Amino acid sequence: MASKEIGPRKTDHSTIHTNIESAKHCLDLAREQLLFKHFDDCIKTCEKGIVKAKLEYNGSPDIVEALCIVGIQAYAELNHWQQVLPYVQNVYTSIEECPFRVVQLCVLLHAKVEEYSQCYAIASIWLKDVKNQNDPDYLTLVELYIINVLVPRQQCNLIQPFVEACPGLNYEQRKMLCNNYKNFEFKSSSNLENPEHEYNTKGEIIKEQSPNIVKGTLY
């Protein structure tokens, strides 16, 4: 009697194909729902699609990322920006694990609603993570933060301490960023409210805030 073969179970390719096609369908449907302003339905579709995509053997990261981004846009359209970080963290577990485009969108969204401390926390957490320091978009995120957070708040004096705290930048990149905004001319700040500073006048971090972390995951 032949012995039973011991080894890894064969991959059910038909099931994988079904899951990935279902996830792609969810992505198409979610984009359509976003276009026609069915935002609540769009979010539900994104969540369903993410579950399907993660059942694929390698997690289908491109589809998960695309669905996550559409979901963020739907939350933004509903003006439910407070729910964006919990949503993202349920998809990726932590900010460090998020792809650049998701982090970029989170920073821009929180900058739009003037939640600057959250912008700082999100950007800093991602930029300080070792595996993100070789990301080709690392420099882009640093400049995104400068342009959308420090410049509007007239905090050019804080650009240098911020870039020096980014371990993924080399000397030339730090020098370039500091020089680019060194003589930036700001508009009058007479109508601006006093911002909540992340740094003191010496450029030292007073309080390093973290985004609201939601324990556990839905996916």
Side-chain angles (χ1 to χ4, degrees):
M1 181 177 178
S3 60
K4 189 175 181 180
E5 183 179 355
I6 299 175
R9 296 177 62 183
K10 293 183 178 179
T11 303
D12 187 343
H13 293 287
S14 62
T15 301
I16 290 174
H17 180 74
T18 300
N19 286 330
I20 203 64
E21 288 303 315
S22 179
K24 289 179 179 177
H25 172 72
C26 286
L27 178 57
D28 291 338
L29 178 59
R31 285 170 171 166
E32 182 178 320
Q33 290 168 331
L34 183 67
L35 179 64
F36 289 100
K37 301 184 178 181
H38 301 155
F39 303 126
D40 288 318
D41 290 337
C42 176
I43 291 168
K44 292 177 182 178
T45 301
C46 289
E47 291 175 346
K48 179 181 177 182
I50 288 168
V51 171
K52 291 287 186 182
K54 286 189 174 184
L55 290 175
E56 203 252 346
Y57 76 99
N58 67 354
S60 191
D62 291 342
I63 295 179
V64 171
E65 178 182 347
L67 284 162
C68 184
I69 287 172
V70 174
I72 292 171
Q73 291 173 312
Y75 275 117
E77 292 289 350
L78 289 167
N79 199 29
H80 292 170
W81 56 268
Q82 303 95 328
Q83 298 181 44
V84 167
L85 282 181
Y87 167 73
V88 168
Q89 289 164 345
N90 277 333
V91 176
Y92 288 104
T93 307
S94 66
I95 296 298
E96 295 95 321
E97 301 299 323
C98 292
F100 163 75
R101 289 203 304 157
V102 171
V103 175
Q104 176 189 41
L105 194 54
C106 287
V107 171
L108 289 173
L109 173 61
H110 285 83
K112 183 177 181 180
V113 296
E114 299 183 356
E115 284 287 328
Y116 296 117
S117 61
Q118 286 287 64
C119 294
Y120 172 73
I122 294 166
S124 294
I125 288 171
W126 194 88
L127 291 167
K128 290 178 181 178
D129 187 72
V130 174
K131 64 180 174 300
N132 293 328
Q133 291 170 23
N134 293 321
D135 191 291
D137 290 306
Y138 189 93
L139 177 60
T140 303
L141 185 62
V142 175
E143 192 158 20
L144 180 85
Y145 179 82
I146 292 171
I147 293 171
N148 291 278
V149 178
L150 297 183
V151 168
R153 300 173 75 191
Q154 304 192 27
Q155 294 180 323
C156 263
N157 60 310
L158 302 182
I159 292 174
Q160 184 172 347
F162 178 73
V163 299
E164 288 179 352
C166 296
L169 297 177
N170 59 39
Y171 172 78
E172 291 301 324
Q173 289 171 328
R174 291 189 177 101
K175 183 178 179 181
M176 178 270 294
L177 288 168
C178 291
N179 288 340
N180 282 353
Y181 299 97
K182 185 176 181 180
N183 298 316
F184 195 93
E185 294 183 4
F186 295 104
K187 295 180 180 180
S188 172
S189 61
S190 58
N191 295 324
L192 291 178
E193 297 179 359
N194 292 327
E196 180 185 351
H197 295 282
E198 290 97 8
Y199 302 90
N200 61 20
T201 55
K202 295 181 180 179
E204 298 168 337
I205 297 174
I206 297 173
K207 183 179 181 181
E208 186 167 334
Q209 301 192 36
S210 297
N212 299 323
I213 303 298
V214 178
K215 295 183 179 180
T217 177
L218 297 178
Y219 309 113

